[in-house]
Amino acid sequence: MATQKTTTPTTPTDPLTLEVVDLIGAVVARYHEEYEEAAAGHALTGAQARLLSLLSLEPLPMRRLAQKLRCEPSNVTGIVDRLEARGLVERRPDPKDRRVKLAAATEEGGRLARGLRESLDFAREPLAGLSREERLALRGLLRRMLDA
């Protein structure tokens, strides 16, 4: 079960902070929109594409996939079933614990995940307009925000 952050109201948020929050929201919305379109171009739902993308990095147990996708394990089972039927994912025993099944991308699933990632131009094109130093600064700021 996800824990909910509680915030204590302090001072009113300044206009600059509100604008930055709105801009971050716009970036996230545009990214999700393009991701959904790219997934549909490969006859995948957004959830299937996200799961396949995770599995292209490493095989994972269903429970861990559910945590990463922030959904119920039963939903993950259905998504894996559909991807497995297409030959994009396979189940295999965990070498550390043979009672646990890992979901893993097949070679074809890995190729599709790479193709999907490469088709996402939205973030790549604007970032290419930033210098290396600006991208490093942005990465550092985003990491700091996520660690807070």
Side-chain angles (χ1 to χ4, degrees), residues 89-102:
V89 167
E90 64 186 10
R91 288 177 171 95
R92 54 174 83 141
D94 184 338
K96 297 175 199 155
D97 184 350
R98 298 194 63 76
R99 296 169 298 172
V100 175
K101 290 284 187 193
L102 298 177

Side-chain angles (χ1 to χ4, degrees), residues 81-147:
D81 287 345
R82 288 185 286 284
L83 292 172
E84 189 173 38
R86 288 185 56 186
L88 302 173
V89 167
E90 64 186 10
R91 288 177 171 95
R92 54 174 83 141
D94 184 338
K96 297 175 199 155
D97 184 350
R98 298 194 63 76
R99 296 169 298 172
V100 175
K101 290 284 187 193
L102 298 177
T106 62
E107 280 187 43
E108 183 183 349
R111 277 192 301 276
L112 197 148
R114 283 187 298 280
L116 181 62
R117 213 174 354 242
E118 290 168 6
S119 70
L120 295 173
D121 297 327
F122 161 66
R124 191 173 33 248
E125 288 177 6
L127 286 172
L130 300 177
S131 70
R132 176 171 170 68
E133 291 76 24
E134 289 170 325
R135 283 180 281 143
L136 286 169
L138 178 59
R139 181 184 68 184
L141 292 169
L142 291 171
R143 284 181 175 169
R144 246 177 65 200
M145 286 176 65
L146 290 172
D147 290 341

Side-chain angles (χ1 to χ4, degrees), residues 37-54:
E37 288 173 10
H42 294 280
L44 296 171
T45 65
Q48 289 171 333
R50 285 187 293 281
L51 186 141
L52 188 58
S53 180
L54 286 171

